[in-house]
């Protein structure tokens, strides 16, 4: 980064000030931002720009109306304001080591272990590519259906176990299908391949999103968008944009989120045969964006539209396979989450609880994710015993799925428990947490 673009360092006297040290240790960003303003002359608009937040969000934090809990936002604050990582409970940030002192280790020559030598009988990836190039693959409608079936299976296993272990297989199949696109085929087969490649790219992006690896997720979502555009599949383009909008809410970029979901709705409306279920799902994503912006009126309007569209669904609607997950329990739980994001915990709690009772037992990530949201709404209402009981029940499905997104919601609930840490029910939850799950790095501290 050129010197002109490098963020201004905070004064050493501020970074060593006991008040600043305490504010960083407890992640009191209202106090951190006020100290940065008064002691370093960095005003809220500049804080927003450097930390990739909206000015209104910074103002809400300073006024004490909003907390910042997402780990990626905390990392942006550390990097943007040049607050050393250890002060905020983070690992050492890359910029803390002067470039001249960075040492690149050279790998020692690798000696193959006996178990590695056993794989020598398998051809290498480059040979696989050569063999694939040498044999022209004959494709039919049945072949395309087999690819689609495998994608549906990937999604089922993603719900059950998370996408981390599936990703190598998904990416491998994506590359294979993209390779097939280089050959000339009948339009129906070629268009089908483009659609399958787009779905595989979106699925890959989703696994990175669920792992909170947002840059990689965005790259694959963008590839999915380009592949769908090749065949003018506007409904699927709307689906991808909706995924990117949801990611924007996790990155605390609500303005981006709203712009993306608005574009998704425009694409869906311009497509032929867009179904009410698709429009209902998109309206709910719009509600999430408005809720992240703190706009109660717009959130309620989007929720109302989502329910209105859902009521128009007919049994024979030609819904795309990728939207069939959006059933009545999903509509209800998302409605509850949107109310919860607005701080309307009393409205959110019964909705999330009802949907959770009806949720499939095989959807481990969904059950854990929604249970933590239910626990948060209960805690927001002062129902400590119920919140800890709900969160304890969520630990088992959470332990069964590899999802950094679920871990992030667990961290947020754990941080919310801070004022009650010594209460017996909170201690029991923490004991069960440490028994079932490994420590969550940097956040589970006595």
């Amino acid at each position: 980064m050129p010197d002109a673009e490098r963020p201004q360092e905070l004064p050493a006297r501020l970074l060593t000030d006991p008040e600043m040290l305490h504010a960083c240790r407890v992640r009191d960003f209202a106090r951190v931002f006020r100290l940065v303003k008064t002691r370093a002359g960095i005003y809220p608009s500049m804080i927003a720009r450097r930390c990739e937040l909206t000015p209104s969000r910074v103002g809400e934090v300073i006024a004490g109306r909003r907390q910042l809990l997402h780990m990626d936002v905390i990392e942006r604050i550390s990097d943007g304001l040049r607050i050393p990582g250890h002060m905020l409970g983070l690992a050492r940030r890359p910029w803390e080591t002067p470039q001249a002192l960075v040492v690149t280790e050279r790998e020692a020559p690798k000696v193959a272990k006996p178990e590695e030598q056993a794989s020598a009988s398998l051809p290498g990836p480059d040979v696989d590519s050569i063999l694939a190039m040498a044999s022209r693959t004959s494709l039919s409608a049945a072949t395309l259906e087999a690819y689609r079936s495998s994608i549906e299976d990937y999604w089922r296993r993603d719900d059950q176990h998370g996408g981390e272990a599936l990703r190598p297989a998904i990416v491998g199949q994506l590359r294979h299908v993209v390779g097939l696109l280089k050959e000339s085929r009948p339009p129906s087969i070629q268009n089908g391949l483009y659609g399958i490649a787009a779905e595989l790219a979106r699925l890959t992006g989703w696994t990175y999103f669920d792992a909170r690896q947002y840059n990689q997720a965005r790259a694959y979502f963008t590839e999915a968008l380009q592949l769908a555009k090749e065949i003018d599949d506007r409904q699927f383009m709307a689906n991808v944009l909706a995924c990117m909008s949801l990611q924007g809410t996790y990155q605390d970029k609500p303005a981006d989120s709203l712009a993306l979901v608005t574009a998704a709705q425009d694409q869906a409306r311009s497509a032929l045969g867009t179904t009410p279920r698709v429009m209902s799902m998109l309206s709910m994503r719009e509600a999430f964006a408005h809720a992240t912006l703190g706009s109660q009126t717009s959130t309620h309007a989007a929720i109302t539209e989502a329910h209105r569209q859902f009521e128009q669904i007919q049994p024979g609607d030609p819904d795309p396979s990728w939207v069939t997950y959006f059933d009545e329990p999903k509509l209800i739980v998302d409605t509850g989450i949107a109310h919860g994001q607005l701080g309307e915990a009393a409205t959110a709690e019964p909705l999330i609880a009802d949907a959770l009772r009806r949720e499939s037992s095989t959807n481990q990530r969904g059950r854990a994710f929604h249970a933590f949201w239910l626990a948060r709404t209960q805690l927001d209402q002062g129902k400590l015993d119920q919140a800890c009981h709900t969160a304890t029940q969520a630990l088992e499905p959470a332990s069964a799925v590899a999802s950094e997104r679920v871990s992030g919601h667990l961290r947020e609930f754990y941080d919310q428990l801070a004022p009650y840490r010594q209460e017996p029910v909170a201690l029991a939850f923490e004991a069960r947490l440490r028994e079932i799950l490994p420590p969550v790095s940097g956040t589970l501290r006595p």
Side-chain angles (χ1 to χ4, degrees), residues 20-148:
M20 181 67 168
L21 290 170
H22 178 73
C24 290
R25 186 166 59 251
V26 299
R27 294 180 178 171
D28 181 355
F29 291 110
R31 197 152 31 129
V32 169
F33 288 171
R34 285 196 294 268
L35 287 168
V36 166
K37 175 186 173 184
T38 57
R39 304 278 296 278
I42 302 175
Y43 285 82
S45 59
M46 179 62 74
I47 292 174
R49 188 155 60 249
R50 287 172 59 164
C51 300
E52 297 181 59
L53 298 168
T54 60
S56 61
R57 181 59 48 85
V58 172
E60 289 173 352
V61 172
I62 293 174
R65 294 195 301 272
R66 185 178 291 272
Q67 289 182 306
L68 298 177
L69 300 173
H70 284 301
M71 190 58 62
D72 61 298
V73 177
I74 295 170
E75 290 173 346
R76 293 210 304 268
I77 291 171
S78 173
D79 296 340
L81 296 180
R82 286 301 195 252
I83 299 173
H86 73 273
M87 293 177 64
L88 292 169
L90 303 174
R92 186 179 180 87
R93 310 305 295 158
W95 51 264
E96 292 184 57
T97 303
Q99 191 60 38
L101 300 181
V102 174
V103 177
T104 304
E105 295 185 6
R106 286 186 291 181
E107 289 188 11
K110 187 176 179 181
V111 179
K113 297 178 182 178
E115 60 268 27
E116 291 175 341
Q117 292 172 351
S119 65
S121 58
L122 296 175
D126 56 332
V127 176
D128 283 341
S129 300
I130 293 169
L131 293 174
M133 198 183 309
S135 60
R136 178 182 171 88
T137 308
S138 177
L139 297 181
S140 65
T143 312
L144 299 185
E145 193 56 38
Y147 285 139
R148 295 186 186 104

Side-chain angles (χ1 to χ4, degrees), residues 218 237-238 241-242 244-246 248-249 253-267 269 285-286 288-290 293:
R218 191 181 185 92
M237 290 171 68
L241 289 166
M244 299 174 83
S245 171
L246 184 63
T249 65
K253 296 180 178 179
D256 290 359
S257 177
L258 184 58
L260 287 163
V261 76
T262 301
Q265 290 168 321
D266 289 343
Q267 287 291 337
R269 291 189 191 101
R285 294 288 172 87
E286 180 191 356
F288 288 160
H290 286 304
L293 282 164

Side-chain angles (χ1 to χ4, degrees), residues 70-72 154-167 170 201-218 220-221 243-244 246-248 250-251 285 330 363-370 372 397-398 400-411:
H70 284 301
M71 190 58 62
D72 61 298
Y154 285 140
W155 280 113
R156 281 193 296 272
R157 287 189 281 167
D158 175 67
D159 285 338
Q160 286 181 283
H161 311 295
E164 198 73 30
L166 299 174
R167 192 184 303 129
I170 299 167
R202 181 182 79 103
L203 178 51
T204 305
W206 180 267
T207 66
Y208 278 116
F209 161 61
D210 194 50
R212 292 196 173 194
Q213 297 180 35
Y214 296 134
N215 288 338
Q216 287 279 47
R218 191 181 185 92
Y220 278 97
F221 285 148
C243 290
M244 299 174 83
L246 184 63
Q247 178 171 310
Y250 274 81
Q251 292 183 277
R285 294 288 172 87
K330 180 60 175 169
N363 187 353
Q364 301 280 21
R365 179 179 48 222
R367 292 187 65 79
F369 176 74
H370 298 144
F372 283 127
V401 64
S403 170
E404 179 58 27
R405 207 159 48 105
V406 169
S407 298
H409 285 283
L410 169 57
R411 282 192 288 266

Side-chain angles (χ1 to χ4, degrees), residues 9 65 88 139 196 223 244 276 289 340 344-345 361 363 417-418 441:
E9 304 287 341
R65 294 195 301 272
L88 292 169
L139 297 181
I196 289 163
E223 183 177 356
M244 299 174 83
E344 298 170 348
S361 60
N363 187 353
L417 276 181
S441 175

